[in-house]
Amino acid sequence: MRAYGCRVCGSALYFENSVCVSCGTNLGYSREEDAIVPVDEEGRYVDAGGFIWHVCCNLNLSGCTWLARLEGGACFSCDLTRVRPSDADLAGIAKYPIAERAKRQLIVELDGLGFPVIGKDAVNGGDPVKGLCFDLLSSTEEPVVIGHADGVITIDLAEGDDAHRERLRDELDEPYRTMLGHFRHEVGHYYQWQLVRDPDTVARCRELFGDETADYQAAIDAHYGQGAPAGWEQSYLTTYATMHPHEDFAETWAHYLHICDTVETAAQYGLTSVAGVAAFSQFRDLVTGVWVPLSTALNMINRSMGNGDLYPFVIPEPVLAKLDFIASLRP
Ligand SMILES: [Zn+2]
Ligand SMILES: [Zn+2]
Ligand SMILES: [Zn+2]
């Protein structure tokens, strides 16, 4: 994340701030400027071109701080949500802001890396076929399977409940499970669908991740029946990645986003002198030269506070090649 500052008093701001705690100025996030900007009493911001922006209509519902084009309308990020919990679903509504917050962080990172974020709503300039949208459902109301299909990402809002998510993490023997991680993984399926299309790219992807046409249900049955193959650590980041080539791609994609975002944050706050992810022509050089020492230090810092490791993973050599491939998909 970038280190955002208040344009009125210069104080440091968290990305989620809707008010500057130092000077009391009301704030909104401008995606066009990638900046947190002051808004007036009516929640308006006038940009350099004279266009009037309005605070998103979901500010009070989901804590959305982004600016919308229309008065009383939703922002770009909220517009990507196709289904949200009903007002009567109190458990879902309580966790809804956690999912929307993770989605906004995801979009900012994708914007920064240059990956196109296009919705499905043609009225808003989206593409009904190739676009992206989100169904934020609540498994307290109905069974929900987190996943991606044809540009629709389904998220279970129950994952916003710490006790629920931690119980699943423990049951599935995962070292890491977060709402943001779910968004990063699922959007990886979307970008594989969108960006790995021409025959050369498909062939290279298959070489690295395996044959993605392999039967998915059989892969699920094998994974949950027998577990990950012995020695999986030599070629994969996680046991889940061993299940199917699509899952390996999505897991590796999620780590690509974890690494890019965390290195950028470290650079913004002076923890590394790296100019940015783009300073390396090979992503693997960033991983071995910057990410491994940085994440080791961050793990030690977390341990100093009695917390678990920030990055509880080891990256084997074959994963460096997979990460390089994913980095090469950047437009
Ligand atoms: Zn301020
Ligand atoms: Zn919004
Ligand atoms: Zn997946």
Side-chain angles (χ1 to χ4, degrees), residues 125-296:
D127 182 326
V129 178
K130 295 179 181 171
L132 177 67
C133 74
F134 295 83
D135 287 354
L136 307 181
L137 309 178
S138 177
S139 61
T140 51
E141 296 274 300
E142 58 189 324
V144 176
V145 179
I146 299 172
H148 164 267
D150 302 326
V152 180
I153 288 176
T154 302
I155 294 287
D156 181 7
L157 292 168
E159 293 279 331
D161 182 78
D162 291 345
H164 171 87
R165 191 185 60 255
E166 184 60 19
R167 190 174 61 245
L168 282 180
R169 190 191 68 74
D170 190 48
E171 274 173 26
L172 299 170
D173 199 22
E174 295 174 341
Y176 169 94
R177 191 176 181 96
T178 67
M179 184 64 90
L180 180 59
H182 286 309
F183 275 91
R184 285 178 171 161
H185 173 102
E186 297 308 331
V187 92
H189 289 306
Y190 169 72
Y191 282 108
Q192 180 173 16
W193 178 56
Q194 279 304 303
L195 301 177
V196 183
R197 287 190 164 239
D198 72 81
D200 286 352
T201 312
V202 170
R204 177 89 184 111
C205 188
R206 206 168 278 169
E207 223 168 78
L208 290 163
F209 295 92
D211 183 0
E212 80 289 352
T213 62
D215 186 85
Y216 194 78
Q217 189 55 50
I220 292 176
D221 295 343
H223 180 73
Y224 289 108
Q226 298 142 39
W232 63 269
E233 305 92 337
Q234 312 298 319
S235 314
Y236 299 91
L237 282 163
T238 63
T239 54
Y240 194 69
T242 67
M243 187 165 84
H244 189 277
H246 276 148
E247 297 310 331
D248 191 17
F249 184 96
E251 286 286 86
T252 311
W253 171 281
H255 279 253
Y256 171 72
L257 295 185
H258 291 332
I259 293 168
C260 288
D261 199 21
T262 309
V263 168
E264 188 197 29
T265 306
Q268 287 276 312
Y269 287 90
L271 298 178
T272 173
S273 55
V274 172
V277 174
F280 292 79
S281 58
Q282 292 293 309
F283 193 75
R284 64 167 61 225
D285 296 336
L286 174 84
V287 174
T288 53
V290 178
W291 177 244
V292 170
L294 176 67
S295 59
T296 304

Side-chain angles (χ1 to χ4, degrees), residues 47-180:
D47 68 20
F51 188 85
I52 301 170
W53 295 83
H54 304 267
V55 166
C56 177
C57 62
N58 289 329
L59 174 62
N60 293 321
L61 181 68
S62 67
C64 179
T65 59
W66 285 26
L67 297 175
R69 289 182 181 276
L70 300 175
E71 187 168 12
C75 70
F76 178 81
S77 174
C78 288
D79 271 341
L80 293 178
T81 299
R82 190 175 69 166
V83 182
R84 70 157 175 94
S86 72
D87 293 340
D89 173 9
L90 297 181
I93 283 288
K95 302 305 175 196
Y96 170 56
I98 296 168
E100 288 289 0
R101 172 177 168 169
K103 170 148 69 67
R104 291 194 297 276
Q105 186 173 343
L106 172 75
I107 293 168
V108 168
E109 182 177 19
L110 294 170
D111 283 349
L113 291 169
F115 290 102
V117 184
I118 299 159
K120 279 196 178 296
D121 186 355
V123 178
N124 289 325
D127 182 326
V129 178
K130 295 179 181 171
L132 177 67
C133 74
F134 295 83
D135 287 354
L136 307 181
L137 309 178
S138 177
S139 61
T140 51
E141 296 274 300
E142 58 189 324
V144 176
V145 179
I146 299 172
H148 164 267
D150 302 326
V152 180
I153 288 176
T154 302
I155 294 287
D156 181 7
L157 292 168
E159 293 279 331
D161 182 78
D162 291 345
H164 171 87
R165 191 185 60 255
E166 184 60 19
R167 190 174 61 245
L168 282 180
R169 190 191 68 74
D170 190 48
E171 274 173 26
L172 299 170
D173 199 22
E174 295 174 341
Y176 169 94
R177 191 176 181 96
T178 67
M179 184 64 90
L180 180 59

